[in-house]
Amino acid sequence: MPSPEFFQVLPVADALKLLDRHWQPTPAREFIAAADALDRISAVEVRSPEAVPAFRKSTVDGYAVRAADTFGASQALPAFLEVLGEIKMGERPPRDIGSGQTMTIHTGGMLPEGADAVVMIETTQVIDEGEIEAMRAVAPGENVIQVGEDVAAGAAVLPRRQRLRAGDIGGLLAVGIEQIEVLRAPRVGILSCGDELLPPEVAPPPPGKVRDINAYTLSALAEKEGAEPLRLGIASDSLEDYRARAEAGFAQSDILLLSAGSSVSARDYTRDVINGLGAPGLLQHGLATKPGKPTIIAVCEDKPVIGLPGNPVSALLVARQILPHLIARFLGQKRERPLMTRARLALRVASETGREDWLAVRLRLTDDEIPLAEPILGKSNLIFTLAGADALLRVPLNSGGLDAGSLVEVEPL
Amino acid sequence: MPSPEFFQVLPVADALKLLDRHWQPTPAREFIAAADALDRISAVEVRSPEAVPAFRKSTVDGYAVRAADTFGASQALPAFLEVLGEIKMGERPPRDIGSGQTMTIHTGGMLPEGADAVVMIETTQVIDEGEIEAMRAVAPGENVIQVGEDVAAGAAVLPRRQRLRAGDIGGLLAVGIEQIEVLRAPRVGILSCGDELLPPEVAPPPPGKVRDINAYTLSALAEKEGAEPLRLGIASDSLEDYRARAEAGFAQSDILLLSAGSSVSARDYTRDVINGLGAPGLLQHGLATKPGKPTIIAVCEDKPVIGLPGNPVSALLVARQILPHLIARFLGQKRERPLMTRARLALRVASETGREDWLAVRLRLTDDEIPLAEPILGKSNLIFTLAGADALLRVPLNSGGLDAGSLVEVEPL
């Protein structure tokens, strides 16, 4: 019987820094339709092939004029202008205008040659079909968007490594860029190991067996963070099978998660399997976090490999602290600190210094503006503790516990 | 020539309340794989068909015992136990144990009949192959998860109208629920109208024409909020074509967005087209927001119909204030207030009371902990104003402007 595990634990943040020093991701690229690029990351800086707008455009409904013809115009002394016709939407003006002449124009309409401004309809009066009065002067360029005023041909329209938002997609399509080169989403391989595990479709599992749910909770986490999960199945507690499946999965993945079954042999094998995947191999065994202490942090052949605990709650809670950082780094992004909500703690929570604790809590709205965080009691490694929770309470590394009534920060689930 | 538009504007929040009073969404449902249900909304409360765990399970590595056999055991006076063998992971124990007997068990292993507790390996000592000493007493149930302790058969495992998270998916699969009934995502139809509009693939558009980008920016917004966008194409400025396309699109949509081209006729037609789609029709024309003032809020035959401005920046900024609320309501969710970030304003921003202004800003990190928000100057209705922005600054309804250096809240893009 192997002896219990003792290891020097490291805070998660330090373990991630250690990993970062050994991992320089080289993301792959792919071309996709700009229309489908929401939340994808641009691979390169994009420049506009065209000027926008491509023609001088009115920003109001009114009359295209030579500004000089309106100088000095007022309600008392309006400028009289001959109306030559209408500029239809989407069409080139049928003719030019000269001094003292104008044409009806609509918002977004194209200015005719000879015009350099637009008088708003609200400041005009129709005399008859062929003549109007302009009752206010306009300056040259007034109510007009000039060629290239939105963006000049050749100007940068999207920086490198930008997460695309609705407005960015609009900008790309506005200049006719239909295909864009983005970073390929990282492939997160997920391999579970344990003789007790069966795929979830087996109902009911025979006595002693349980369904493998880590593959699905970790997939959902990867997907949520913008990665492509690869479910690699279940390895048995035999070193040969575990190694063979890990190697095959490693070859397809950019990031590999091993969720070792809870059996002793699977736990022991994980270190060997990881070190067999390539140098430098295991960097750290043991994190100063609960749950998740026996986690392994490794880099093999420039890919992160994480050995997670087998318990589904432990695996998910520790993966939440590691995987978003890895995915963001693969995509050249800085992982933002997760958004926290303030809450008031309903009960005293005990902890130990030197360890960060994560506890499932329910949030209850009160008369107070701040919700009450009620820790979910009972054994914390049961999946329905997490399924029933609203948020996670973090008990900081150097806290011996948190008092009832204290203000805490919780991370909504 | 039509006269300029004057209308009694309403704050966006009030317009949405008005809409809500006329709209009782009846969402459709569908069954999907639980593994694919991330961020979907449960249609019904889900109960567990099974107890979890289905067998008594050890939470540690050690020895399955009758607790009574260890009573009074200590380092000085250990309890001697006969080891009958090992309980393999994933297997039913090969036999029962009696008084004074034990079996080796692993974390997650199944307790044999006769045992009611597990002594941790750390508190034992091996005497020889067939015997150990237990140096600490365990209480009945210690280090054991009882049948149904995680969840009882028939217990609720997922409430109705819950957005599914990784942990929820884990919970469903843990009890063998592979298919789940969720609310179908709302279909958001998007129809653009205007003779000047061409699909974005036309490069370069002839003079006077522009690419229709609203279809794509609004699609991206709908997708981001969990809806299914339906791009309905471009209607010409003819009332017949506009009406025919709106009616066909309305039939397929749960929510319809009309983005009227900027031509006067398209604008005028939108009211008529909307009222033709069914009762009660137009509820409000004009919102106290800039950009977005000429927006139309309507409900036709129990579907929201929104008439948006044609300018892409205006259309997107006003849709951001309306569409997330509609999608959330369709899905029985409360739309959370968008997450705001504090920033310090770099320049004075002028506004008018009685109108909420939205301005594109760049955020610049400073020595201060709070980023500096720099409004993007120039004509605010150009798409690259938005594509180049980091966030949106809201100038509140009753503010005449915001001073340089003041603390403001911005909504990250």
Side-chain angles (χ1 to χ4, degrees):
Chain A
M1 190 111 192
S3 60
E5 292 157 331
F6 291 106
F7 26 60
Q8 200 69 35
V9 297
L10 212 58
V12 174
D14 295 345
L16 291 180
K17 274 182 208 144
L18 179 64
L19 189 153
D20 288 352
R21 282 204 297 277
H22 289 87
W23 179 44
Q24 293 307 326
T26 44
R29 302 165 169 199
E30 60 186 344
F31 276 93
I32 62 167
D36 299 331
L38 183 67
D39 284 332
R40 299 298 297 268
I41 311 293
S42 57
V44 293
E45 183 185 72
V46 179
R47 292 180 172 276
S48 177
E50 299 176 7
V52 173
F55 54 88
R56 293 183 307 152
K57 221 170 166 176
S58 178
T59 61
V60 297
D61 294 332
Y63 295 91
V65 298
R66 295 181 176 223
D69 287 349
T70 69
F71 290 169
S74 68
Q75 205 132 14
L77 202 71
F80 288 85
L81 296 165
E82 182 194 358
V83 182
L84 299 181
E86 182 183 353
I87 300 158
K88 290 220 159 60
M89 286 309 294
E91 290 183 15
R92 185 194 281 279
R95 52 169 298 175
D96 303 352
I97 65 163
S99 184
Q101 297 180 325
T102 187
M103 292 183 79
T104 302
I105 194 165
H106 309 291
T107 305
M110 179 173 179
L111 258 73
E113 287 301 312
D116 61 2
V118 179
V119 293
M120 288 174 76
I121 188 170
E122 291 87 339
T123 66
T124 62
Q125 198 137 5
V126 175
I127 306 294
D128 58 42
E129 217 183 306
E131 198 173 28
I132 60 152
E133 289 177 344
M135 294 172 298
R136 220 174 68 191
V138 283
E142 196 165 337
N143 301 324
V144 174
I145 304 175
Q146 303 297 336
V147 171
E149 189 173 341
D150 197 346
V151 72
V157 291
L158 191 71
R160 183 173 171 269
R161 298 286 190 264
Q162 169 136 334
R163 186 176 295 276
L164 275 92
R165 308 155 303 175
D168 297 316
I169 293 173
L172 292 172
L173 291 173
V175 297
I177 297 172
E178 279 192 285
Q179 294 283 317
I180 173 174
E181 195 172 9
V182 294
L183 299 186
R184 178 174 61 66
R187 295 183 184 126
V188 176
I190 303 161
L191 177 62
S192 306
C193 175
D195 283 340
E196 76 281 22
L197 299 176
L198 287 175
E201 56 268 25
V202 180
K209 304 272 191 198
V210 294
R211 299 187 181 93
D212 171 33
I213 63 176
N214 283 343
Y216 297 87
T217 51
L218 298 173
S219 285
L221 177 65
E223 189 188 328
K224 185 91 183 166
E225 296 292 329
E228 182 194 338
L230 297 179
R231 288 196 285 267
L232 303 170
I234 300 168
S236 75
D237 280 348
S238 106
L239 181 57
E240 295 64 44
D241 187 45
Y242 192 3
R243 198 188 287 283
R245 286 177 182 269
E247 280 172 5
F250 180 74
Q252 303 171 54
S253 307
D254 299 304
I255 296 166
L256 181 62
L257 306 182
L258 301 174
S259 123
S262 44
S263 78
V264 177
S265 56
R267 261 173 1 218
D268 287 352
Y269 290 161
T270 300
R271 291 178 69 119
D272 297 342
V273 165
I274 288 177
N275 282 328
L277 292 175
L282 190 141
L283 300 172
Q284 173 63 21
H285 192 175
L287 299 181
T289 185
K290 185 190 174 188
K293 185 181 171 192
T295 300
I296 294 171
I297 302 285
V299 170
C300 304
E301 306 292 339
D302 228 20
K303 293 178 184 178
V305 180
I306 309 298
L308 296 168
N311 176 273
V313 175
S314 308
L316 181 56
L317 291 193
V318 76
R320 281 174 66 96
Q321 298 175 63
I322 296 171
L323 191 58
H325 170 87
L326 301 182
I327 293 170
R329 193 150 186 272
F330 184 90
L331 293 171
Q333 304 290 295
K334 232 188 144 73
R335 166 67 181 170
E336 285 149 36
R337 176 172 164 274
L339 293 153
M340 305 295 271
T341 300
R342 261 156 50 113
R344 198 173 294 286
L345 191 57
L347 308 169
R348 172 167 167 79
V349 165
S351 180
E352 283 171 25
T353 62
R355 182 183 86 190
E356 205 173 68
D357 286 22
W358 290 88
L359 265 88
V361 296
R362 275 194 203 91
L363 296 181
R364 194 182 296 278
L365 294 177
T366 62
D367 290 341
D368 196 1
E369 266 203 11
I370 298 170
L372 199 66
E374 297 175 336
I376 297 178
L377 301 175
K379 297 197 173 88
S380 62
N381 59 349
L382 304 180
I383 187 71
F384 286 100
T385 319
L386 212 52
D390 299 314
L392 296 173
L393 168 67
R394 187 178 68 96
V395 186
L397 206 58
N398 292 316
S399 157
L402 297 169
D403 286 330
S406 60
L407 271 180
V408 294
E409 293 220 308
V410 297
E411 187 184 333
L413 277 169
Chain B
M1 188 111 193
S3 60
E5 292 157 331
F6 291 106
F7 27 60
Q8 198 71 33
V9 296
L10 212 57
V12 174
D14 295 345
L16 292 180
K17 274 184 208 144
L18 179 64
L19 188 153
D20 288 351
R21 282 204 296 279
H22 289 88
W23 179 45
Q24 292 308 325
T26 45
R29 300 164 171 202
E30 59 186 343
F31 276 93
I32 61 167
D36 299 331
L38 183 68
D39 283 334
R40 300 297 297 268
I41 311 294
S42 57
V44 293
E45 184 185 69
V46 179
R47 291 178 174 277
S48 177
E50 297 176 9
V52 172
F55 54 89
R56 292 182 309 150
K57 219 172 170 174
S58 178
T59 62
V60 296
D61 294 333
Y63 295 90
V65 297
R66 295 179 179 227
D69 288 348
T70 68
F71 291 170
S74 68
Q75 205 131 13
L77 201 69
F80 289 84
L81 296 164
E82 181 196 355
V83 183
L84 299 181
E86 183 185 352
I87 300 158
K88 290 222 159 59
M89 287 307 296
E91 290 184 15
R92 185 193 283 277
R95 51 168 300 174
D96 303 352
I97 66 162
S99 183
Q101 297 180 324
T102 187
M103 293 183 80
T104 302
I105 193 165
H106 309 290
T107 306
M110 179 174 179
L111 258 71
E113 287 301 311
D116 61 0
V118 178
V119 293
M120 287 173 76
I121 188 168
E122 290 88 339
T123 65
T124 63
Q125 199 139 0
V126 175
I127 306 295
D128 57 40
E129 217 183 306
E131 199 174 27
I132 60 152
E133 290 177 344
M135 294 172 299
R136 220 174 66 191
V138 284
E142 196 166 335
N143 301 323
V144 174
I145 304 174
Q146 303 297 336
V147 172
E149 188 173 341
D150 197 347
V151 72
V157 290
L158 192 71
R160 182 172 171 270
R161 298 285 190 266
Q162 168 136 333
R163 187 175 294 275
L164 274 91
R165 307 155 304 175
D168 298 316
I169 293 173
L172 292 171
L173 291 173
V175 297
I177 297 172
E178 279 193 286
Q179 294 283 318
I180 173 173
E181 195 172 9
V182 295
L183 299 186
R184 177 174 63 64
R187 296 185 183 124
V188 176
I190 303 161
L191 177 63
S192 306
C193 175
D195 282 341
E196 76 281 23
L197 299 177
L198 287 175
E201 57 267 26
V202 180
K209 304 272 191 199
V210 294
R211 298 186 181 92
D212 171 31
I213 63 174
N214 282 343
Y216 296 87
T217 51
L218 298 173
S219 285
L221 176 66
E223 190 187 328
K224 186 89 184 169
E225 297 291 329
E228 181 195 336
L230 296 178
R231 289 197 285 266
L232 302 171
I234 300 168
S236 74
D237 280 349
S238 107
L239 182 57
E240 294 66 41
D241 187 46
Y242 193 2
R243 198 188 288 281
R245 286 177 181 270
E247 280 172 5
F250 179 74
Q252 303 171 55
S253 307
D254 299 304
I255 295 166
L256 181 62
L257 305 182
L258 301 174
S259 123
S262 45
S263 78
V264 178
S265 55
R267 260 173 1 220
D268 287 353
Y269 290 159
T270 299
R271 293 179 67 121
D272 297 342
V273 166
I274 289 177
N275 282 328
L277 293 174
L282 190 142
L283 299 173
Q284 173 63 22
H285 192 173
L287 298 181
T289 185
K290 184 188 175 187
K293 186 181 171 192
T295 300
I296 294 171
I297 302 284
V299 170
C300 305
E301 307 292 340
D302 227 19
K303 293 178 185 178
V305 180
I306 310 297
L308 295 168
N311 175 274
V313 175
S314 307
L316 182 56
L317 292 193
V318 76
R320 282 174 65 97
Q321 297 175 63
I322 297 171
L323 191 58
H325 170 86
L326 301 182
I327 293 170
R329 194 152 185 272
F330 185 89
L331 293 170
Q333 305 290 295
K334 233 190 142 74
R335 165 67 182 170
E336 286 148 36
R337 174 171 164 275
L339 293 154
M340 306 294 271
T341 299
R342 262 155 50 113
R344 196 173 295 284
L345 192 56
L347 308 169
R348 174 169 165 80
V349 164
S351 180
E352 284 171 25
T353 62
R355 181 183 87 189
E356 205 173 68
D357 286 24
W358 290 89
L359 264 91
V361 296
R362 274 193 204 92
L363 296 181
R364 194 181 296 277
L365 293 177
T366 61
D367 290 340
D368 197 0
E369 266 204 9
I370 298 169
L372 197 67
E374 297 175 334
I376 297 178
L377 301 175
K379 296 195 174 91
S380 62
N381 59 349
L382 304 180
I383 187 71
F384 286 100
T385 319
L386 211 52
D390 298 313
L392 296 173
L393 168 68
R394 188 177 68 95
V395 186
L397 206 58
N398 292 316
S399 158
L402 296 170
D403 286 329
S406 59
L407 272 181
V408 293
E409 293 220 307
V410 297
E411 187 183 333
L413 277 168

Coordinates of all heavy atoms in Angstrom, one line a residue, chain B residues 206-236:
Chain B
P206 N -21.1 50.6 -56.1 CA -21.1 51.8 -57.0 C -21.4 53.1 -56.3 O -22.0 53.0 -55.2 CB -22.2 51.4 -58.0 CG -23.0 50.3 -57.4 CD -22.1 49.6 -56.4
P207 N -21.1 54.2 -56.9 CA -21.3 55.5 -56.1 C -22.7 55.6 -55.7 O -23.7 55.3 -56.4 CB -21.0 56.6 -57.2 CG -20.1 55.9 -58.2 CD -20.5 54.4 -58.2
G208 N -22.9 56.1 -54.5 CA -24.2 56.3 -53.9 C -24.7 55.2 -53.0 O -25.5 55.3 -52.2
K209 N -24.1 54.0 -53.3 CA -24.5 52.8 -52.5 C -23.6 52.5 -51.4 O -22.4 52.9 -51.4 CB -24.5 51.5 -53.4 CG -25.3 51.6 -54.7 CD -26.7 51.2 -54.5 CE -27.4 51.0 -55.8 NZ -28.9 51.0 -55.7
V210 N -24.1 51.9 -50.3 CA -23.2 51.5 -49.2 C -23.6 50.0 -48.8 O -24.6 49.5 -49.2 CB -23.4 52.4 -48.0 CG1 -22.9 53.8 -48.2 CG2 -24.9 52.4 -47.5
R211 N -22.7 49.4 -48.1 CA -22.9 48.0 -47.7 C -23.9 48.0 -46.5 O -23.7 48.8 -45.6 CB -21.6 47.3 -47.4 CG -20.7 47.2 -48.6 CD -19.5 46.4 -48.2 NE -18.5 46.3 -49.3 CZ -17.5 47.1 -49.5 NH1 -17.3 48.1 -48.6 NH2 -16.7 47.0 -50.5
D212 N -24.7 47.0 -46.5 CA -25.7 46.9 -45.3 C -24.9 46.2 -44.2 O -24.7 45.0 -44.3 CB -26.9 46.0 -45.8 CG -27.7 45.6 -44.6 OD1 -27.8 46.4 -43.6 OD2 -28.3 44.6 -44.6
I213 N -24.5 46.9 -43.2 CA -23.8 46.2 -42.1 C -24.7 46.0 -40.9 O -24.3 45.2 -40.0 CB -22.5 46.9 -41.8 CG1 -22.7 48.3 -41.2 CG2 -21.6 46.9 -43.0 CD1 -21.4 48.9 -40.8
N214 N -25.8 46.7 -40.8 CA -26.7 46.4 -39.7 C -27.1 45.0 -39.5 O -27.2 44.5 -38.4 CB -28.0 47.3 -39.8 CG -27.8 48.7 -39.5 OD1 -26.7 49.0 -38.9 ND2 -28.6 49.6 -39.9
A215 N -27.3 44.3 -40.6 CA -27.7 42.9 -40.5 C -26.7 42.1 -39.8 O -27.0 41.2 -39.0 CB -27.8 42.3 -42.0
Y216 N -25.4 42.5 -39.9 CA -24.3 41.7 -39.3 C -24.0 42.2 -37.8 O -23.8 41.4 -36.9 CB -23.1 41.8 -40.2 CG -23.4 41.1 -41.5 CD1 -24.0 41.8 -42.5 CD2 -23.2 39.7 -41.6 CE1 -24.3 41.2 -43.7 CE2 -23.6 39.1 -42.8 CZ -24.1 39.8 -43.8 OH -24.5 39.2 -45.0
T217 N -24.1 43.5 -37.6 CA -23.8 44.0 -36.2 C -25.0 43.5 -35.3 O -24.8 43.1 -34.2 CB -23.7 45.5 -36.2 OG1 -24.8 46.1 -36.8 CG2 -22.4 46.0 -36.8
L218 N -26.2 43.6 -35.8 CA -27.4 43.2 -35.0 C -27.4 41.7 -34.8 O -27.8 41.2 -33.8 CB -28.7 43.7 -35.6 CG -28.7 45.2 -35.7 CD1 -30.0 45.7 -36.5 CD2 -28.7 45.9 -34.3
S219 N -27.0 40.9 -35.8 CA -26.8 39.5 -35.7 C -25.9 39.1 -34.6 O -26.1 38.2 -33.8 CB -26.3 38.8 -37.0 OG -27.2 38.8 -38.0
A220 N -24.7 39.8 -34.6 CA -23.7 39.5 -33.6 C -24.2 39.8 -32.2 O -24.0 39.1 -31.2 CB -22.4 40.3 -33.9
L221 N -24.9 40.9 -32.1 CA -25.5 41.3 -30.8 C -26.5 40.2 -30.3 O -26.5 39.8 -29.2 CB -26.2 42.7 -30.9 CG -26.9 43.1 -29.6 CD1 -26.0 43.4 -28.5 CD2 -27.7 44.4 -29.9
A222 N -27.4 39.8 -31.2 CA -28.4 38.8 -30.9 C -27.7 37.5 -30.5 O -28.1 36.8 -29.5 CB -29.3 38.5 -32.1
E223 N -26.7 37.1 -31.2 CA -25.9 35.8 -30.9 C -25.3 35.9 -29.5 O -25.4 35.0 -28.7 CB -24.9 35.7 -32.0 CG -24.2 34.3 -32.0 CD -23.0 34.3 -33.0 OE1 -23.1 35.0 -34.0 OE2 -22.0 33.6 -32.7
K224 N -24.7 37.0 -29.3 CA -24.0 37.3 -28.0 C -25.0 37.1 -26.8 O -24.6 36.7 -25.8 CB -23.4 38.7 -28.0 CG -22.6 39.1 -26.8 CD -21.1 38.7 -27.0 CE -20.3 39.0 -25.8 NZ -18.9 38.5 -25.9
E225 N -26.2 37.5 -27.0 CA -27.2 37.4 -26.0 C -28.0 36.1 -25.9 O -28.9 36.0 -25.2 CB -28.2 38.6 -26.1 CG -27.5 40.0 -26.0 CD -27.0 40.3 -24.6 OE1 -27.7 39.8 -23.6 OE2 -26.0 41.0 -24.4
G226 N -27.5 35.1 -26.8 CA -28.2 33.8 -26.7 C -29.3 33.6 -27.6 O -30.1 32.7 -27.4
A227 N -29.5 34.5 -28.6 CA -30.6 34.3 -29.5 C -30.1 33.8 -30.8 O -28.9 33.7 -31.0 CB -31.3 35.7 -29.8
E228 N -31.0 33.4 -31.7 CA -30.6 32.9 -33.0 C -31.0 34.0 -34.0 O -32.2 34.2 -34.3 CB -31.4 31.6 -33.3 CG -31.1 31.0 -34.6 CD -32.2 29.9 -35.1 OE1 -32.9 29.4 -34.2 OE2 -32.3 29.7 -36.3
P229 N -30.0 34.6 -34.6 CA -30.3 35.7 -35.6 C -30.8 35.1 -36.9 O -30.3 34.1 -37.4 CB -29.0 36.4 -35.7 CG -27.9 35.5 -35.3 CD -28.5 34.4 -34.4
L230 N -31.7 35.8 -37.5 CA -32.2 35.4 -38.9 C -32.0 36.6 -39.7 O -32.7 37.6 -39.5 CB -33.7 35.1 -38.9 CG -34.2 33.9 -38.1 CD1 -35.7 33.9 -38.2 CD2 -33.6 32.6 -38.6
R231 N -31.0 36.6 -40.6 CA -30.8 37.7 -41.5 C -31.8 37.6 -42.7 O -31.8 36.7 -43.4 CB -29.4 37.7 -42.0 CG -28.4 38.1 -40.9 CD -27.1 38.6 -41.4 NE -26.3 37.4 -41.8 CZ -25.4 36.8 -41.1 NH1 -25.2 37.2 -39.8 NH2 -24.7 35.8 -41.6
L232 N -32.7 38.6 -42.7 CA -33.8 38.6 -43.7 C -33.6 39.4 -44.9 O -34.4 39.5 -45.8 CB -35.1 39.1 -43.0 CG -35.5 38.4 -41.7 CD1 -36.6 39.1 -41.0 CD2 -35.9 37.0 -42.0
G233 N -32.4 39.9 -45.1 CA -32.0 40.5 -46.4 C -32.3 42.0 -46.4 O -32.5 42.6 -45.3
I234 N -32.4 42.6 -47.6 CA -32.6 44.0 -47.7 C -33.9 44.3 -48.5 O -34.1 43.7 -49.6 CB -31.4 44.6 -48.5 CG1 -30.1 44.3 -47.8 CG2 -31.6 46.1 -48.8 CD1 -28.8 44.6 -48.6
A235 N -34.7 45.1 -48.0 CA -35.9 45.5 -48.7 C -35.6 46.9 -49.4 O -34.8 47.7 -48.9 CB -37.1 45.7 -47.7
S236 N -36.2 47.0 -50.6 CA -36.0 48.3 -51.3 C -36.9 49.4 -50.7 O -37.8 49.1 -49.8 CB -36.4 48.1 -52.8 OG -37.8 48.0 -52.9

